[in-house]
Amino acid sequence: MNHQQHPSRPFEYPLGFRPWCDQVTGRPHPQTEGYTYELLENSRDAYRFHAVLSAGRIVELFKEFSRFLGGEAFFILEFYEEQIGGSRTADGEERPLPTIYYSPYLPLDELFAAIEPYLTRLVHDGFVGFGLANNREGMELFYSEEKVLTCFTGNHIRVTDLFHRLGLRHDPELLFPTDFGHDHLSLLWHPRPQLPTDLQPLSNPDLDYLNFCRDLTESLDMYPVEESLSFFLSKRDQDIIEDILAAHGDYAEFAEEDFGNLLFDWNDFVLECEAGFTGDLWEYRQGLKLRDVIQYVLDSAPEAQREKILDIIVETDARFQKILTDRRKRIDLPEEPARLSPEHFWYQGMVKNPGAELRRDLIRSGWYRR
C-alpha cells in the first residue's frame, strides 16, 4: 500500500474548510500532504506529530491507526455547543471555544460500528474535530476542526512507518492550512449537489453538526472534558505507574486501569465539590482516596513522571484548596494514621458547600464541635 500524492492531483480540502485565495494570483494557496514531528515538552520518549492529508483519505488513516490501539479505544469529539454557521479566521478575531467530549473505552468493532454512519460528516464539517485514543497503549490521533491531524505516541517508528505506507513525506518546513486565512463552513452552508454522495439524501437536521454530534455523545455515553485536562501519558509512563500501584496492597486494584481516568475522576470530584457535594461522608472520603492514590504515585515515581502528573493536577488541586474551610481541622478517620504531610492538604478542612447528607454526617461525627 503506497498512496504517494500525484503531483498533478490537487489537494482535497474538506468542504467545511475554505482557504482564502491569494490576492495576487486569485488562486488558493498551494497545499501538500506531509507531516512533521517533535518530542513532547518535558519528555524523552513521547512524540507529537502534525500531519496534513487529503479529506478523502482521513477515514482510511483512522482505520489503519486503530490497529495500534490494542483492540479498544475511546472516542474524542470536539464541537461548538451553540450553532455558529459560518466563521472567518483572521488576525485579532476570537471565536468561542469548543467543548471536548470523551467516550468510555469500547471494543474497536463496536466503536467503529457506532461512528461509521457519521464519519463523512465528521470529516467535512468545519466546526467538528474527532479522534481515537488508548492511553494505556500510549496512542492518540485527532483530526481538528482546522483539518490538521495531531498524533501523540510513545512509538514514533510505528507512526512514521504508517505515514510512509500512506505516502506522506516528512517535511520540517511543511505549511499547514492554518498558516493562511480561511473560512469554516457547516455542511448546511453548501448546496446539496456539492455534498459527498452519501450525504446528499440526508435531511437538513441530519446535516446540522449540533444534531449529529449530540446523537454521538448520547449513543456513546460521552462526557465533557476540560481543555486544561488534555494530557498524554506514554506507554512507558503507564507501565511505571502500573508497577508502582501493583506494589501497594490497597492500591493494586487500580494498577491495570488507565491512570488518566483516575486523574479525571479526581477532577470530577472537585467539580462536584465546587457545585455542592451531594453525597454523604463515606462518599466524600472515597473522593479523597483518589487523591491518596495519586499522591502515592507521586511519592514513588521517577522525577520525569512525577513532573508530568503534577503538571496535570496542579490546577485541580488549587481549585480544591480554594474551596476548603476550617483548615485547622482534619477529616481523617479516627482509626486511620493522621496524614501529617503538608502535601495532604485535601484532609485539612471541609468544602464550604456541603450538601444535606454530608452536613448531617459531619454533625453526627462532631465536626462542628471541634
Side-chain angles (χ1 to χ4, degrees):
M1 174 177 56
N2 197 320
H3 300 277
Q4 290 287 350
Q5 184 176 349
H6 193 278
S8 64
R9 185 175 66 203
F11 180 85
E12 179 190 357
Y13 284 101
L15 290 177
F17 189 97
R18 175 170 292 183
W20 297 351
C21 292
D22 185 274
Q23 294 182 352
V24 176
T25 66
R27 295 190 298 270
H29 295 279
Q31 181 65 61
T32 59
E33 296 182 335
Y35 72 91
T36 66
Y37 73 99
E38 60 191 353
L39 273 171
L40 275 176
E41 298 84 356
N42 301 320
S43 178
R44 300 175 182 176
D45 62 345
Y47 292 81
R48 175 174 48 224
F49 286 74
H50 291 300
V52 182
L53 189 66
S54 284
R57 303 212 285 145
I58 296 297
V59 172
E60 176 190 12
L61 171 61
F62 270 90
K63 291 184 175 178
E64 291 290 326
F65 180 81
S66 69
R67 298 178 182 181
F68 305 148
L69 298 177
E72 65 175 6
F74 62 89
F75 185 62
I76 308 169
L77 184 62
E78 181 180 276
F79 66 99
Y80 294 88
E81 297 278 21
E82 297 182 1
Q83 188 66 266
I84 295 181
S87 177
R88 293 171 69 82
T89 298
D91 291 343
E93 182 176 335
E94 294 185 1
R95 293 212 311 267
L97 294 175
T99 304
I100 303 170
Y101 283 84
Y102 284 1
S103 80
Y105 277 91
L106 294 168
L108 285 172
D109 55 353
E110 181 179 337
L111 182 53
F112 270 104
I115 67 175
E116 188 81 39
Y118 301 93
L119 282 174
T120 304
R121 283 174 279 181
L122 292 170
V123 169
H124 283 281
D125 196 286
F127 297 102
V128 178
F130 70 99
L132 293 174
N134 183 318
N135 289 335
R136 194 64 191 82
E137 295 294 326
M139 301 292 286
E140 177 180 325
L141 180 65
F142 185 76
Y143 188 53
S144 72
E145 61 161 319
E146 300 288 1
K147 306 312 175 186
V148 173
L149 291 152
T150 303
C151 176
F152 297 98
T153 179
N155 190 336
H156 68 292
I157 300 299
R158 178 179 285 182
V159 175
T160 55
D161 179 65
L162 170 60
F163 284 171
H164 175 74
R165 287 188 284 115
L166 288 172
L168 289 180
R169 62 187 180 86
H170 176 233
D171 181 3
E173 305 300 321
L174 179 69
L175 294 176
F176 292 89
T178 49
D179 289 326
F180 307 103
H182 56 273
D183 296 314
H184 287 262
L185 305 171
S186 75
L187 294 173
L188 293 172
W189 190 88
H190 299 275
R192 194 59 58 110
Q194 293 181 8
L195 296 176
T197 305
D198 60 328
L199 299 187
Q200 292 179 14
L202 298 182
S203 67
N204 280 351
D206 287 336
L207 292 173
D208 186 335
Y209 74 84
L210 276 179
N211 291 333
F212 67 76
C213 285
R214 285 171 180 164
D215 287 346
L216 273 169
T217 60
E218 291 175 7
S219 65
L220 293 176
D221 196 24
M222 303 182 78
Y223 52 91
V225 176
E226 296 180 58
E227 187 176 10
S228 62
L229 274 183
S230 297
F231 58 85
F232 178 77
L233 296 173
S234 70
K235 189 175 188 305
R236 181 171 181 272
D237 295 331
Q238 296 270 7
D239 288 342
I240 289 171
I241 294 168
E242 179 180 346
D243 290 343
I244 291 170
L245 292 173
H248 190 291
D250 293 336
Y251 301 154
E253 61 182 291
F254 298 100
E256 295 185 6
E257 296 183 13
D258 179 352
F259 188 69
N261 286 341
L262 191 69
L263 301 177
F264 284 131
D265 289 343
W266 168 240
N267 184 71
D268 289 344
F269 171 74
V270 173
L271 286 172
E272 185 178 358
C273 289
E274 289 174 326
F277 190 77
T278 58
D280 59 20
L281 183 56
W282 181 87
E283 291 170 306
Y284 181 80
R285 284 181 169 136
Q286 289 301 109
L288 301 184
K289 183 180 178 182
L290 295 171
R291 191 57 181 80
D292 288 346
V293 178
I294 296 169
Q295 189 62 42
Y296 175 71
V297 173
L298 286 171
D299 291 341
S300 307
E303 182 179 358
Q305 283 68 39
R306 176 182 170 85
E307 289 181 354
K308 281 187 182 181
I309 298 168
L310 283 172
D311 285 344
I312 294 167
I313 65 171
V314 61
E315 182 179 329
T316 305
D317 282 356
R319 288 180 12 238
F320 192 64
Q321 291 187 71
K322 188 176 180 180
I323 61 174
L324 290 174
T325 62
D326 296 330
R327 295 186 64 175
R328 288 175 295 177
K329 304 177 186 178
R330 300 190 65 86
I331 199 65
D332 311 70
L333 287 169
E335 65 271 17
E336 292 178 341
R339 295 164 173 82
L340 299 177
S341 169
E343 289 186 315
H344 294 156
F345 64 86
W346 51 99
Y347 284 98
Q348 296 171 338
M350 174 51 60
V351 292
K352 59 185 176 184
N353 192 15
E357 291 187 57
L358 179 54
R359 185 181 297 275
R360 176 204 64 200
D361 289 350
L362 290 172
I363 292 172
R364 290 175 176 173
S365 68
W367 171 263
Y368 296 107
R369 296 196 303 268
R370 297 182 201 172

